């Protein structure tokens, strides 16, 4: 089997560089694949998701740029805001632009493997068809069970004709991919639940979760400090980092803060980092109720390790969906594990690392009173109990270090290239 240097193309609509607030999974894989001697090129949209940045303002089809030490090829795509018509058009148009760009680059150099990621399904579909046409192995990664997540979060019917078409597209992609990588542990289970296991060879299905770059995390913790009196105070600090949207269900956490205030626990402070559609409403409620809750807004990624290290408890808050049975792949979970502080999650998953490795508590709370009780218990644990959590996290975080996860990815690439 081939284990020599490989030329890897990563094709992902949303592979945003870290300095632009990115979805960093493919950046870290690229970083460590390059360190291991491979050549990597990322093809992604010129419109940077959740920002006003578009890397191409002229009529160019693509723009090559080294960002954060990684080679990106930004492919021209239209601007959009939110989830309206312009975003749909962006998703429909980009695959065609991506095809044209890959075709031009293919004339100069043939990749050994194409690694494409969904969502979006359309870009993954085009990358897969391109690979099959050019006889290049294609590894498809599933980061979000799409369209299943549209059904779960937006309440659309599974019988909706558009959803039905998307399911068929999803099934075709899974069937034709040379390898499948799910970020959530229950990928095989999902395929079986859909009744697709006769059409899709489960032996080609793998699991590589999200993770944390421990080298970078430790560097940032030491060198990128935030000057903030709330972080440095002697209060017990409960920290949440992430989006503040309906899917995060943060209203439940704020109500728990109200219960703690009623119990005169003025020494417990909630620090909420992030932004989103629910922020204004929740901030107003916290202010009116005079709660010990501070909304800090968005922070640069480099400051997060230091912020997490100052917490007594870190919070994961999510809305209940049927997707939890397949496990989770939250980026923040692995940063929390790296911080080695107790974690409280308001909804347990199947394959739950928090409960399995005794890193805190993951449970469904019947009321805000129950939630507040659990938060109080975790904040007040003894030094010995805290030491046990720290030791458990110290062992576990090595398994989710991007340096280690890249070796798992490398093996999959090597095997599939060897077969071809």
């Amino acid at each position: 089997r081939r284990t020599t240097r490989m030329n890897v193309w990563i094709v992902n609509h949303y592979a945003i560089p870290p300095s632009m607030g990115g979805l960093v999974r493919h950046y870290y894989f690229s970083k460590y694949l390059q360190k291991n001697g491979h050549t990597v090129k990322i093809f992604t949209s010129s419109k940077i998701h959740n920002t006003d940045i578009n890397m191409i303002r002229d009529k160019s089809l693509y723009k090559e740029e080294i960002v954060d030490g990684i080679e990106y090829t930004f492919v021209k795509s239209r601007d959009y805001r939110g989830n309206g018509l312009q975003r749909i058009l962006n998703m429909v148009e980009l695959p065609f632009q991506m095809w044209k760009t890959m075709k031009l680059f293919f004339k100069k150099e043939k990749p050994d493997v194409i690694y494409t990621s969904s969502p979006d399904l359309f870009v993954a579909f085009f990358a897969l068809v391109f690979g099959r046409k050019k006889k290049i192995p294609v590894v498809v990664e599933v980061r979000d069970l799409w369209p299943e997540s549209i059904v779960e979060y937006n309440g659309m019917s599974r019988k909706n004709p558009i959803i039905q078409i998307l399911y068929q597209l999803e099934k075709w992609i899974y069937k034709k991919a040379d390898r499948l990588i799910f970020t959530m542990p229950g990928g095989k289970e999902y395929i079986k639940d859909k009744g697709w296991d006769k059409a899709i060879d489960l032996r080609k299905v793998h699991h590589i979760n999200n993770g944390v770059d421990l080298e970078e995390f430790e560097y940032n913790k030491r060198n990128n400090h935030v000057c903030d009196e709330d972080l440095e105070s002697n209060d017990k600090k409960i920290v949440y980092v992430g989006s503040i949207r309906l899917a995060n269900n943060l209203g439940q956490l704020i109500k728990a803060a109200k219960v703690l205030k009623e119990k005169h626990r003025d020494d417990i402070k909630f620090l909420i980092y992030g932004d989103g559609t629910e922020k204004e409403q929740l901030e107003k409620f916290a202010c009116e109720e005079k709660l010990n809750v501070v909304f800090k807004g968005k922070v640069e990624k480099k400051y997060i390790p230091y912020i997490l290290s100052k917490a007594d408890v870190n919070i994961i808050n999510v809305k209940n969906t049927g997707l939890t049975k397949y496990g989770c792949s939250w980026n923040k979970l692995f940063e929390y594990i790296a911080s080695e502080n107790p974690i409280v999650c308001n909804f347990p998953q199947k394959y739950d690392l928090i409960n399995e490795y005794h890193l805190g508590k993951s449970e469904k709370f019947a009321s805000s009173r129950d939630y507040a009780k659990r938060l109080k218990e975790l904040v007040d644990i003894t030094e010995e109990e805290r030491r046990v959590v720290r030791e458990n996290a110290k062992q576990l975080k090595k398994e989710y270090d991007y340096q280690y996860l890249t070796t798992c990815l490398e093996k999959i690439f090597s095997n599939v290239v060897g077969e071809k």
Side-chain angles (χ1 to χ4, degrees), residues 1 25 115 138-143 145 174 177-189 191 200-210 326 405 407-416 419:
R1 280 180 181 168
R25 178 178 174 88
Y115 171 37
V138 180
V139 175
V140 174
E141 174 183 274
V142 183
R143 295 195 332 274
L145 293 171
Y174 291 3
D178 291 284
R179 294 289 188 278
L180 273 172
I181 297 171
F182 284 83
T183 58
M184 64 291 302
K188 288 182 182 178
E189 196 180 336
I191 290 169
I200 297 160
D201 183 356
L202 294 181
R203 289 172 301 179
K204 71 179 184 182
V205 178
H206 300 266
H207 163 56
I208 300 179
N209 215 318
N210 286 318
Y326 304 116
L405 294 175
T407 63
C408 303
L409 183 68
E410 204 174 4
K411 278 178 196 164
I412 294 168
F413 289 170
S414 190
N415 286 340
V416 77
E419 281 174 14

Side-chain angles (χ1 to χ4, degrees), residues 45-63:
S45 167
S46 67
K47 167 68 176 87
I48 308 300
H49 189 53
N50 283 338
T51 73
D52 293 325
I53 301 166
N54 196 317
M55 299 297 286
I56 301 175
R57 290 293 177 193
D58 57 20
K59 292 190 176 164
S60 308
L61 172 61
Y62 66 86
K63 179 183 182 183

Side-chain angles (χ1 to χ4, degrees), residues 144-154 323:
D144 192 359
L145 293 171
W146 207 78
E148 192 70 17
S149 54
I150 301 173
V151 171
E152 287 289 344
Y153 284 112
N154 299 337
L323 298 178

Side-chain angles (χ1 to χ4, degrees), residues 17 63 170 209 214 255 330 340 343 357 368 384:
K63 179 183 182 183
E170 179 192 21
N209 215 318
L214 290 180
K255 284 173 186 167
W330 304 308
E340 299 174 11
I343 304 164
Y357 289 90
S368 49
E384 175 55 24

